[in-house]
Amino acid sequence: MNVGPGRQGPVHKTRPGYFCFGNGILLKLDLESPPSQHSPKTALRFAYSSLSSRSKFQQSPPMSIFEYNGSAVVAMVGKNCFAIASDRRLGVQLQTIATDFQKIYRVHDKLFIGLSGLATDAQTLYQRLVFRHKLYELREERNMKPETFASLVSALLYEKRFGPYFCQPVIAGLGDENKPFICTMDSIGAKELAKDFVVSGTASESLYGACEAMFKPDMEPEELFETISQALLSSVDRDCLSGWGGHVYVVTPTEVTERILKGRMD
């Protein structure tokens, strides 16, 4: 008798009151119960229940696809400026593949997007966004505003809602009169606007706590850089799926400053 297709293999009856499975599991029956319960079907029923209860303790909980590569992205506003930062690790679960992976992309000099989540989907999504933005520039002969770009990203994600890109974008830019704009959204384009900071990625819980503690309104560019850098580094130290340094952009109406942070290399 077989346990079932692709399961534990054949069942062999050994001495009275025992059944032995092909993988060496020896199942003892209750000899005090009526003889009719000592059938192979009863043995299988007991075996299935014991194996399933055992597997509940051996199996780890299922992993979210958003956690597969690991990521940490944060954007923060200052006085007529903004900063956006990310970690640099690319991993496959707990195995580190690269330590210089790009997660922040420049759309134009006053507009940036950070993409956390599945790395392959992030690169595909960015290529589609570049294509859409170039078409907009050809038609309108001007750069896209941050609010318009956020609506574009949201529409593009919602268009694929039944088979979504496994990404959580963070958008940061300078709009009219150099007013900073930041927002984030989920994988189907539900926007979340903020006036202080937004976060995404596997280290988002730690980032929320660090940013809440460190953020101050109307920071100058240098103070904003120090704040977002300390928040990022202290957060990725508390998340085993992100880290390995940081990548920070500080954007003002006149310049874009890019810096690489060195963090714990483990």
Side-chain angles (χ1 to χ4, degrees), residues 88-116:
R88 306 186 74 202
R89 179 182 183 271
L90 172 67
V92 175
Q93 298 185 45
L94 297 181
Q95 180 183 6
T96 300
I97 304 298
T99 59
D100 57 352
F101 188 69
Q102 181 181 4
K103 298 176 186 176
I104 299 174
Y105 303 93
R106 183 191 305 227
V107 182
H108 57 75
D109 286 343
K110 293 186 178 181
L111 179 60
F112 288 76
I113 181 171
L115 295 171
S116 68

Side-chain angles (χ1 to χ4, degrees), residues 1 46 68 121 142 154 170 177 190 194:
M1 174 180 290
F46 285 140
Y68 186 72
D121 278 6
R142 61 190 173 97
S154 178
V170 169
E177 300 178 356

Side-chain angles (χ1 to χ4, degrees), residues 133-187:
H133 184 258
K134 287 182 177 179
L135 285 180
Y136 182 92
E137 284 183 323
L138 286 172
R139 185 172 59 248
E140 300 288 335
E141 298 182 351
R142 61 190 173 97
N143 285 328
M144 193 178 289
K145 295 179 181 179
E147 296 86 354
T148 309
F149 185 73
S151 298
L152 168 64
V153 176
S154 178
L156 189 61
L157 290 173
Y158 189 72
E159 176 185 321
K160 300 288 186 180
R161 62 192 178 277
F162 297 115
Y165 294 109
F166 296 114
C167 298
Q168 294 174 327
V170 169
I171 298 167
L174 292 177
D176 295 333
E177 300 178 356
N178 293 320
K179 182 179 179 182
F181 170 88
I182 57 172
C183 85
T184 185
M185 58 191 73
D186 63 8
S187 60

